[in-house]
Amino acid sequence: MNPFSKMIGLLGFGAYFAFSQYRATLLTQEFNVEDYVPADSYLRGTLYAMENYYSLKKPFEVYFRDVDQSDPDIQQQMREYINELAALPQIGEEAPFCWVREFEQIPERFPQYADLLDGLSFQEQLNFAMNNPTIREVYGEDIVQDEFGNITASRCLLFLRNLDLAIVDDQIDMLLSQREISASQPINQDKEEWSFFAFDSIFFYWELYAQAVEELLFTISTGIIAVTAVTFVLIPHYTAVFFVAPGIIILYCNFLGKEL
């Protein structure tokens, strides 16, 4: 308990606390699927090949629902929405399979049918196109029609190309970017359930990544507040709070810095 020993102790703990604080600022999110694959698994070779030789990282769908998809104005909004998503740097290329875009180009691609299609309603034109086995094979599962031939829901396909699925921050950026584009669509305004939206099961993982930091900060904050409140109630003198709360904060910083 002599002054020299006290000084050494304070300086040592202070230096470790400062070092831990610095290390805690370097924490990053990371999730690499390959780290969880057995060393002798064939999947490691597959993942390596996908990363180095395959340009398409992941397909995902863009959905349309609860709108009159036979309306030319709605179709134009659908095409604009697809183009905005395709312009994202993580995608960088137009949708390879999108019925609403292809449907508009049928008269140009098949001029021999132009006069015939000109006299048909939208549902009749759609049925005419779907009678073609090739078109039906490609787009048959992307269009849902009711008993009257009206489209109740449909989808188009996009591919993630310029996205590293091992970098969490890039995946979060993609999630938020596509969500921002969807939220900005006029058709989605003032709706609890959007009519135009993108979706894939991988979005669940991205949402987890996006919420993890906030949840960690919330857990740390509530832990500090809870321990401080218990200290205030159970320890007779209130000044104990001014020792316990900083101590808990130091412990959290040391723990996070050690884990890096």
Side-chain angles (χ1 to χ4, degrees), residues 10-248:
L10 289 174
L11 289 176
F13 279 104
Y16 183 64
F17 175 55
F19 177 71
S20 297
Q21 280 185 305
Y22 167 72
R23 296 265 294 178
T25 63
L26 302 179
L27 285 171
T28 58
Q29 286 181 277
E30 184 176 308
F31 185 85
N32 190 347
V33 176
E34 190 173 349
D35 294 338
Y36 300 89
V37 177
D40 58 348
S41 173
Y42 70 90
L43 187 56
R44 284 185 174 271
T46 302
L47 293 172
Y48 178 84
M50 289 179 62
E51 180 65 28
N52 293 276
Y53 305 114
Y54 196 54
S55 62
L56 305 180
K57 303 299 183 183
K58 183 75 172 67
F60 71 95
E61 291 81 21
V62 180
Y63 292 91
F64 310 97
R65 64 181 180 184
D66 301 331
V67 291
D68 181 6
Q69 299 187 35
S70 65
D71 187 335
D73 292 335
I74 295 296
Q75 293 180 12
Q76 182 59 31
Q77 291 185 51
M78 294 164 66
R79 287 189 287 268
E80 291 175 356
Y81 175 52
I82 288 289
N83 291 336
E84 288 183 45
L85 289 174
L88 289 173
Q90 295 90 342
I91 299 174
E93 189 171 311
E94 67 177 14
F97 302 106
C98 185
W99 74 268
V100 70
R101 183 193 62 211
E102 302 294 335
F103 190 83
E104 181 187 34
Q105 298 173 357
I106 286 179
E108 298 177 6
R109 294 188 177 186
F110 304 97
Q112 64 272 29
Y113 299 127
D115 293 338
L116 175 61
L117 294 174
D118 189 50
L120 300 178
S121 65
F122 173 81
Q123 282 79 12
E124 291 172 334
Q125 293 181 32
L126 181 62
N127 291 334
F128 177 83
M130 286 300 176
N131 285 330
N132 184 300
T134 302
I135 295 177
R136 185 169 61 251
E137 181 180 359
V138 174
Y139 297 112
E141 296 184 355
D142 295 335
I143 300 174
V144 179
Q145 296 176 272
D146 61 18
E147 57 198 43
F148 304 106
N150 300 313
I151 299 178
T152 58
S154 67
R155 67 183 180 184
C156 292
L157 187 67
L158 287 170
F159 281 96
L160 297 170
R161 298 174 182 273
N162 307 313
L163 181 66
D164 191 335
L165 295 179
I167 300 180
V168 169
D169 289 341
D170 291 352
Q171 297 175 68
I172 294 175
D173 289 342
M174 176 58 198
L175 175 69
L176 299 180
S177 296
Q178 65 82 24
R179 184 179 294 169
E180 182 179 354
I181 291 175
S182 299
S184 68
Q185 299 306 304
I187 200 72
N188 288 336
Q189 302 305 308
D190 302 321
K191 286 186 177 181
E192 293 185 5
E193 296 187 352
W194 290 344
S195 295
F196 294 0
F197 63 96
F199 178 77
D200 188 83
S201 59
I202 199 174
F203 286 13
F204 291 121
Y205 296 94
W206 294 355
E207 186 68 27
L208 173 64
Y209 301 154
Q211 297 298 323
V213 174
E214 292 183 9
E215 290 296 324
L216 176 61
L217 293 175
F218 177 77
T219 301
I220 291 174
S221 301
T222 53
I224 293 172
I225 293 172
V227 173
T228 303
V230 170
T231 301
F232 184 80
V233 172
L234 297 183
I235 297 181
H237 204 282
Y238 72 92
T239 55
V241 170
F242 299 104
F243 294 93
V244 173
I248 296 299

